[in-house]
Amino acid sequence: MVKFLILSFCFFLLVRWLLKPIIKMVINSMINKVVQNGGAPRPQSNRPFGSINVDQDAPTNNSKRSKDSNEGEYVDYEEVK
């Protein structure tokens, strides 16, 4: 039993000793990839620089809102100092 515990402890130390540099190498390579790409990944787009994207689902008549909307009611207030 003691022999098993000693061998298990040695195996644990050996695995820890071997995995630590491997994990550091993997994390450093990931960090280098992010730095080379300029931070967060950017989506590829076919649009030229400076073009404007218009949402086609926007409502066409904003002046007349229905009473059934869930936006609530405007309440005028006075600021108290």
Side-chain angles (χ1 to χ4, degrees):
M1 182 69 176
V2 174
K3 187 177 180 180
F4 173 74
L5 291 174
I6 292 173
L7 286 175
S8 298
F9 183 70
C10 290
F11 179 75
F12 171 74
L13 290 178
L14 181 67
V15 168
R16 182 176 160 199
W17 180 69
L18 290 175
L19 284 180
K20 190 172 183 178
I22 293 172
I23 291 174
K24 274 188 175 183
M25 187 171 37
V26 168
I27 290 175
N28 284 336
S29 69
M30 288 179 167
I31 290 172
N32 288 336
K33 284 181 185 177
V34 168
V35 168
Q36 287 176 356
N37 290 338
R42 297 181 186 138
Q44 295 287 336
S45 120
N46 295 335
R47 297 183 300 156
F49 179 75
S51 66
I52 299 174
N53 186 16
V54 178
D55 185 14
Q56 297 296 327
D57 295 333
T60 57
N61 191 357
N62 289 336
S63 63
K64 295 181 181 178
R65 293 189 179 179
S66 67
K67 295 280 185 182
D68 298 332
S69 69
N70 291 332
E71 294 179 14
E73 182 180 340
Y74 176 76
V75 177
D76 194 17
Y77 69 94
E78 294 181 18
E79 187 174 335
V80 179
K81 291 185 179 183

